[in-house]
Amino acid sequence: MPDLSIENLAINSASGRRLLDVPRLTVPSGGSLAVRGPSGAGKSTLLFAIAGLISVTAGQLKWGQTDLVGMADTARTTFRGATFGIIFQDHLLFEELSAENNAGLAALYAPRKRRAGIGQAARRILTDLKVPWDDRRNVVSFSGGERQRIAVARALATEPAVILADEPTASLDRKTADALIGDLLGGAKQAGRTLIAVSHDAALIDACDRVLTIEDGRVTDHV
Amino acid sequence: MFEAFWYALPILVQDIFVFLGLLVPLAITGIICLFGYRVWPLIAGLLRKHTAISATFVLLIATSVGISVGLIAQERGLREGTARAADKFDLIIAAPGSEITAMLAAVYLQPTALPLIDGATYARIESHELVDLAAPLAFGDSWEGVPVVGTTPPFVDHLSEGLRAGRVFETMEEAVAGANTPLQVGDVVEPVHGDGSDDFSEHGHPYTIVGKMNRTGSPWDNAILVAVESVWDVHAMPTGHGPDWDGTLGGPFDPSQFAGTPAVLVRAEQLWANYSLQSEFNTAETMALFPGNVLAQLHALMGDIRQVMSVLAVATQVLVAVAVLAGLSMLSRILARRMALLRALGAPRRFVFAVTWTFATVLICLGALLGIVFGVIATAVLSMVITALTDILVQARLAWPEMHLVAGFVSTVAVLSLYPAYRASRRSLLDDLRS
Amino acid sequence: MRLFIAALFSLIAFAAVANEQDHGHDDHDDHAGEAHADSEHKATLGDVTLLHAWAAETEGSVVFVYVEIDNEGDAPITLLGAEADIAGTVDLVGFQSKDGVASYAPLPMLPIASGAELTLAPNAVAFRMTDVTTHLHEGDDFEIHIIFDAGEVAIMAQVEPEGATQHRHAGHNH
């Protein structure tokens, strides 16, 4: 399981404006990190950079021995698929697919020998998360909480080493949110899985090992 | 070796091979694009999600394919129909002039003023040992726009192969009506000179309809046939027979009493005899022509027009294809967020490419299939309209050439769709994800 | 509406005239330089003159050969067929159209009346050579023996471009 290590990370916008500076950040394998801060401060930018979804302007961003900076796009996509499970802020599900197909989406493009495993994992996790997936209806008809849990199942189905989550509890009521926090962190501890979550949710922040605060593109607190 | 093998195959097998051959680019592209991926759940989902826009694309493609396919089938149907309408006219002999004009007048009853063939020439034709049937075709009069043609009873038998109702005319006051005329046995008609459009001059010679012909699929279905003697008679000319005539209609005619005919139908049982007669009567005084032959030459020339038409058809298809591709680019923008999400989750670019291409190709294939259905309907409707307008029975059906066109179109557009699919796979992931 | 057919056919007739004019033009250009070759285009058998034998270039092994035959004699003569070294068989065939479908049917013979002229041409009468082993190219020529009841005559046939409808000197009197 890879550790995350960041040194002197700088990210500029396309127009050259500095979006984010992170002098130093490490997350050990199996650890959990909450990233908090006001809207627009650069939290999601950091998460996307860690996921290899945006290019880094300067500095170092390593997962174990793999340096995402300067890595070709194709290789980054492959690495992302193999390493991360990503949970987006507004679920981003394929509404016209069933819960099962959404959770097992990676089976559509994964190598043939992994397909069955992904499908089984997707169904198992949906069951664990109490999502009713048997009836194969489209996810349009699911509640917000159910959809978020489908998104979580999708992130976990590939059995990734790292979960990257952007406001995973934002659209959930308290009870559902607490249950989800339990699932994410409990599961992460059990499987030795790293969790990095951007969140405003105090319950989630408190549950994480470490907390990083970002304001206006700078790290202002690192506990 | 291959050539010999190819020509030895039945035509149907050749057609099927060509059809499959034209689909090979589609198959190869598909196999390469889809290798290792399961795109169908996503494609089915996208079709459900974007039903309206997908249906619009399918209809657009179907309409274009339907029109092209229908026109090509129609052109062939018209060619066959005009040729079939000329089947009964083995050899036409007329005064020298334009073969096309003579054919238009004799076979398709287009009103034309033709010079006349005299009695001596007619007698030479009628008495020729190779001739099995000779009949004057004397046109010029009409009844309410329906041409009235003077001829002989054997010609009616030859044209109609037995009557649908009644009998052949036996006197100068009797007539036989074509299958599409509104006339029934017992009706009385009074023709006018010419087509009745300019000077309305009735001849004062009514005819009683005594028979109705079978359908021939030619403009003769909308004609009235009378004794040639009566046509001469109403124009105050000799009736073709001497003073001791017993009133039996038809030949042989007395050359000195023969008032002239613009055209003569000649028929010999044997094909060789027809050609021999043609060479013999292609002289300074007469022109002998095979309508089938003239038509074939026209169709050969029409081949050029057809090529122009096919070029236009192809150009139209290309334009539609371009429109489709432009639409696909729009579509790829609609799909962009989903595709970005796929890539964010770790799906390779090639998977995004495969999904976009497959989606486009499914729409194209559905459009092409529906287009064939449209083509069948368009062909049937156009055939009916043309048959009604011209009395030439047009029976157009879709055949292999149209299938080949559709297969070629599908393959071409499927290959062209690689470009928007490529564009879709190169879009900026993050912009699309955040939009 | 008969106007429809009229319009259709006038379009075709126009194309026909345009096509004729093209040919007329070519004839004169080509002919100027080739007047010396006249004798090769002509053959006689008694009072029968054969002129301008030709075929169109083709990829296939079936080749149609055309010729003008003029019987200037007092007696009819009957065309029976032909033979050619380059072909397996040669049939005398006549174009026919049945139920809208065109085809060529073998003709056992073709009498040519005294004073009559028979023009073998596309979509009419032709010699159909099958199993032609040599690939004929534009500008090639080959010998064909034409058989009448009165005897046999050889003539050189000229290979015209693919899709040609007549001999390049058609209409000239040699």
Side-chain angles (χ1 to χ4, degrees), chain B residues 367-393:
Chain B
L369 286 177
L370 187 63
I372 292 172
V373 175
F374 282 9
V376 169
I377 297 169
T379 304
V381 171
L382 274 174
S383 295
M384 264 163 50
V385 171
I386 294 179
T387 304
L389 285 178
T390 63
D391 290 310
I392 294 172
L393 180 64

Side-chain angles (χ1 to χ4, degrees), chain C residues 17-140:
Chain C
V17 170
N19 203 43
E20 265 324 302
Q21 282 174 346
D22 278 357
H23 279 292
H25 187 68
D26 290 349
D27 288 348
H28 291 285
D29 284 358
D30 287 350
H31 197 237
E34 291 180 23
H36 62 276
D38 279 0
S39 56
E40 291 172 20
H41 298 161
K42 194 169 171 177
T44 54
L45 176 72
D47 291 325
V48 179
T49 308
L50 291 86
L51 197 61
H52 295 149
W54 67 280
E57 180 173 338
T58 170
E59 294 275 333
S61 62
V62 176
V63 179
F64 287 82
V65 188
Y66 313 103
V67 66
E68 294 167 28
I69 304 173
D70 196 358
N71 180 10
E72 287 154 345
D74 296 329
I77 187 168
T78 301
L79 176 60
L80 295 175
E83 282 172 1
D85 287 342
I86 63 162
T89 52
V90 184
D91 291 312
L92 177 64
V93 293
F95 172 93
Q96 62 177 357
S97 170
K98 279 218 165 74
D99 199 28
V101 180
S103 63
Y104 285 92
L107 304 178
M109 59 175 171
L110 218 170
I112 306 169
S114 157
E117 197 178 305
L118 176 71
T119 303
L120 277 66
N123 300 314
V125 181
F127 293 119
R128 181 173 60 195
M129 305 198 296
T130 41
D131 299 329
V132 175
T133 45
T134 340
H135 184 148
L136 297 176
H137 297 275
E138 179 183 354
D140 291 353

